[in-house]
Amino acid sequence: MASLLRQIVAGPRIRNPEAGLDLCYVTDNIIATSGPSSTYPQRAYRNPTDALVKFLDQKHGTHWAIWEFRAEGTGYPDSEVHGRIRHYPWPDHHPPPFGLMPNIMASMRNWLKDPGAKENARVVVVHCKAGKGRSGTVACSYLISEENWTIGDALDRFTSRRMRVGFGAGISIPSQIRWVGYVDRWARNGKFYTERQVEILEVHVWGLRDGVKVAIEGFVDEGKTIKTFHVFRKDERMVIGDTAQNSEVFANLAGLDKKESAPTSESAVQVDRSAATERRSDLDALPKTLDREHTGYELGGGAVIFRPSTRVVLPTNDIKIDFERRNKATYGWTMVTSVAHVWFNAFFEGQGPESGGNAAPDGVFQIEWDAMDGIKGSSQKGTRAFDRLSVLWKALDGRKEGLTQIITEPGIGDPVPQMKPAEWHKVNSQSPTNSKDLGLRVQSPDSESMSRASSTRSDQSMEKTADEDSVAGIRTHGPDGEEHISHGGRDVAYNGPVSKRDDNAGQASGIERVGLGTVVGIMGQMKPLRTGDLPGGKPEEEMETSTDSSVGSVTREKNTSPSS
């Protein structure tokens, strides 16, 4: 039974037939495996730790070591793997804090290429939870940075070795793929990286729908936790309008026409100008009027600038912008209809590797809705929340205060620091990933102004009764993003205009379309009807047989018609 469960859980991932475990050889020296476990119930459907250790001991003797990346806890103590383990944890479904990558790469290289070890005898075992996203990001990064593989070859190799044919890519999360590209640029340009504090100046959104909460997040606790640094409120937004997508006003507000910062070299000048030109051309390519059929445009989607009222400074270059769209619900519940986020690194978006480590002091990151990360590593995001996003950022000069840190890859044989591991036995506790999902959720008292922040309607049009204030600013919509209209004080899902003929027909027939919330409310006020309340009815407690249930003129009649 346990073996069957493991096969089911492994699903699209290839199992090693020799070991009978969920693992694969990416190369002869790199093994990717799902996270082993020493506790129940996980060991019933994951790789048992003792079984994995037994296989590695028999196959590779003492020439193996584990690199783990689980911020949620490993599920086993270090002693059960002979202490041959390196810890670099970060949350599931997300890219790593880039500041960890030089040490991860160097520690793997030192183990595999130790001059005192037998050539090609050692192996590295990488694992996260499923041995796919986080493990694949590190495995591909190593092949690119230490073995000179191309991005395409590394990604293709991991997919072919880890996934069954037809079950998708090994690394499928867009931000993790973006990080693999960052590693390639880092490796090809001297492996310089400067960790800086970054301030988020503004967030510009085109085609923003109503009821969308926008938040700024980043890594803390050595990368093991994702912290929300700011959630935009209503008084921090400025509505530009539906036609501002290509206007010079919006481009100026985005800071794209300002004087370029003076880089330190001529090559950096060319890179910076090229990047600025590309950003301007991207803006100019946007249509003056949104194509409603192809963009999923709905009434009310416009251009909005979010500008924080207080400074929002993140401790590292790694920045996450998070979106969550809510639909109005009742009785203290709200319906989450879309969830999406994106990670980017300001050092690489500022052309740091190409500028000899001197990244631009500010910049703009842009992305389309379809390229955003989905829910828990999937492509599913729910209904469209916006069309296009720009984030204006500025790096702080913290060299005097020691807040800017130059990170280089340790040399061969040099000691390499590792991170403090998460508590291994807390693998069943809530993961520090800030993962969200679609569906009903208890409404937060603080969510009103946060959800209202994206509304492009005037304040006067949003004045509601006291009972409606709890969901003020949250636009109701159906599962496919269709509009809801108010009909007789009740919400009614509708996809098109109401014709005069249909409206008159409804009035003539006395039929009124009502929402589910109204029906629930009416049913909740109905008094239960008992048989004793009906004309000629007998109370239930006085009934002796089922025939006593006859009420008034409703009696059981014998069939006196002649049989055929």
Side-chain angles (χ1 to χ4, degrees):
M1 176 59 72
S3 177
L4 177 61
L5 285 174
R6 294 183 192 117
Q7 292 182 35
I8 294 174
V9 171
R13 301 185 299 273
I14 296 176
R15 290 172 59 84
N16 183 276
E18 181 182 356
L21 299 171
D22 179 16
L23 64 83
C24 75
Y25 281 79
V26 181
T27 66
D28 291 342
N29 303 105
I30 300 177
I31 298 173
T33 177
S34 60
S37 181
S38 298
T39 60
Y40 285 98
Q42 282 77 19
R43 67 175 287 126
Y45 55 85
R46 297 283 184 193
N47 289 337
T49 307
D50 53 356
L52 176 63
V53 170
K54 181 180 179 180
F55 169 75
L56 293 173
D57 284 343
Q58 292 178 346
K59 188 77 173 178
H60 301 286
T62 60
H63 304 297
W64 60 269
I66 290 176
W67 271 251
E68 69 88 14
F69 316 114
R70 301 192 67 179
E72 64 273 22
T74 60
Y76 58 89
D78 291 1
S79 59
E80 293 193 6
V81 293
H82 310 315
R84 290 199 295 270
I85 185 169
R86 312 289 189 272
H87 300 281
Y88 298 96
W90 77 86
D92 198 6
H93 309 306
H94 298 283
F98 199 89
L100 296 181
M101 295 305 288
N103 288 337
I104 297 176
M105 299 297 100
S107 60
M108 292 173 63
R109 178 208 62 209
N110 284 357
W111 172 259
L112 291 176
K113 299 182 179 182
D114 185 351
K118 184 179 178 181
E119 186 176 359
N120 295 326
R122 289 185 170 183
V123 297
V124 161
V125 182
V126 295
H127 86 72
C128 47
K129 181 179 180 179
K132 183 177 177 290
R134 288 175 286 183
S135 299
T137 300
V138 170
C140 291
S141 295
Y142 182 84
L143 294 177
I144 292 168
S145 67
E146 309 302 326
E147 302 294 341
N148 298 317
W149 288 41
T150 65
I151 297 177
D153 288 345
L155 292 173
D156 289 345
R157 167 59 72 91
F158 185 76
T159 296
S160 65
R161 293 296 178 91
R162 190 69 180 118
M163 305 298 292
R164 298 181 189 275
V165 177
F167 281 88
I171 306 176
S172 56
I173 298 175
S175 289
Q176 291 180 340
I177 297 175
R178 183 177 301 110
W179 250 243
V180 173
Y182 288 163
V183 169
D184 178 66
R185 293 169 56 193
W186 169 75
R188 286 188 290 104
N189 291 279
K191 296 184 177 180
F192 295 107
Y193 180 69
T194 304
E195 193 71 274
R196 309 174 295 177
Q197 290 188 328
V198 178
E199 181 179 359
I200 302 301
L201 303 177
E202 296 175 359
V203 175
H204 299 182
V205 188
W206 287 268
L208 182 67
R209 278 48 167 185
D210 286 320
V212 180
K213 184 178 74 172
V214 184
I216 302 171
E217 301 177 352
F219 288 117
V220 294
D221 189 21
E222 297 183 329
K224 288 191 285 293
T225 304
I226 298 172
K227 176 183 176 180
T228 300
F229 285 87
H230 188 75
V231 179
F232 287 103
R233 306 184 70 87
K234 177 188 173 184
D235 58 357
E236 297 175 315
R237 60 111 167 113
M238 179 169 60
V239 179
I240 305 302
D242 289 351
T243 59
Q245 284 78 5
N246 194 42
S247 68
E248 293 182 2
V249 174
F250 199 81
N252 289 333
L253 287 169
L256 300 182
D257 289 333
K258 65 183 179 180
K259 185 177 179 180
E260 302 295 337
S261 302
T264 57
S265 65
E266 182 61 29
S267 60
V269 170
Q270 297 298 328
V271 169
D272 196 56
R273 288 175 178 170
S274 175
T277 302
E278 182 179 353
R279 291 197 294 267
R280 291 194 187 95
S281 63
D282 287 344
L283 278 177
D284 293 339
L286 287 172
K288 291 183 179 295
T289 303
L290 286 175
D291 185 338
R292 303 188 179 197
E293 179 180 357
H294 293 92
T295 65
Y297 181 96
E298 64 180 69
L299 189 62
V304 177
I305 294 179
F306 292 101
R307 184 175 295 151
S309 55
T310 58
R311 296 184 68 186
V312 180
V313 179
L314 280 71
T316 70
N317 289 306
D318 306 304
I319 300 167
K320 178 189 177 190
I321 307 297
D322 186 82
F323 289 83
E324 179 183 290
R325 189 181 186 188
R326 300 177 179 184
N327 187 17
K328 184 170 71 175
T330 56
Y331 302 106
W333 292 87
T334 184
M335 177 67 74
V336 178
T337 58
S338 65
V339 172
H341 67 266
V342 63
W343 283 95
F344 69 92
N345 184 286
F347 177 79
F348 290 93
E349 297 303 324
Q351 306 299 317
E354 294 81 3
S355 303
N358 298 310
D362 51 30
V364 179
F365 173 79
Q366 296 185 350
I367 192 172
E368 304 280 350
W369 166 258
D370 292 335
M372 298 282 287
D373 296 2
I375 302 168
K376 296 180 180 179
S378 71
S379 60
Q380 181 187 10
K381 296 186 284 287
T383 59
R384 180 179 289 267
F386 65 90
D387 295 323
R388 188 178 179 89
L389 165 72
S390 290
V391 183
L392 279 69
W393 56 268
K394 177 183 178 180
L396 305 184
D397 186 359
R399 286 174 292 183
K400 293 182 180 180
E401 298 81 5
L403 300 177
T404 296
Q405 181 183 8
I406 298 175
I407 300 176
T408 58
E409 184 183 40
I412 297 177
D414 292 343
V416 181
Q418 58 176 310
M419 301 299 104
K420 181 180 179 181
E423 296 186 43
W424 70 268
H425 57 278
K426 289 190 175 182
V427 69
N428 291 321
S429 62
Q430 185 177 3
S431 175
T433 64
N434 288 2
S435 292
K436 303 173 182 178
D437 208 342
L438 303 177
L440 283 174
R441 187 181 304 171
V442 177
Q443 188 174 12
S444 168
D446 298 329
S447 64
E448 176 184 347
S449 60
M450 296 174 184
S451 296
R452 292 181 67 176
S454 70
S455 177
T456 57
R457 293 174 289 175
S458 66
D459 293 340
Q460 291 80 3
S461 67
M462 292 176 61
E463 293 179 354
K464 304 289 183 181
T465 64
D467 181 60
E468 294 173 316
D469 282 344
S470 62
V471 289
I474 304 180
R475 195 185 195 89
T476 55
H477 57 86
D480 295 321
E482 70 270 19
E483 292 297 314
H484 279 230
I485 61 173
S486 181
H487 186 70
R490 290 171 286 273
D491 289 326
V492 183
Y494 191 50
N495 278 313
V498 179
S499 67
K500 186 174 182 180
R501 177 181 177 183
D502 291 339
D503 188 51
N504 292 337
Q507 294 177 4
S509 62
I511 298 175
E512 186 177 20
R513 294 173 295 173
V514 298
L516 177 59
T518 302
V519 175
V520 173
I522 294 173
M523 294 181 66
Q525 298 174 8
M526 292 178 62
K527 180 182 178 182
L529 190 63
R530 305 173 66 86
T531 57
D533 298 331
L534 298 173
K538 182 182 294 186
E540 288 91 335
E541 57 269 17
E542 297 179 12
M543 294 182 184
E544 297 180 357
T545 65
S546 60
T547 58
D548 292 335
S549 62
S550 298
V551 178
S553 59
V554 184
T555 58
R556 181 176 297 179
E557 298 181 358
K558 294 183 178 180
N559 185 1
T560 57
S561 59
S563 59
S564 56

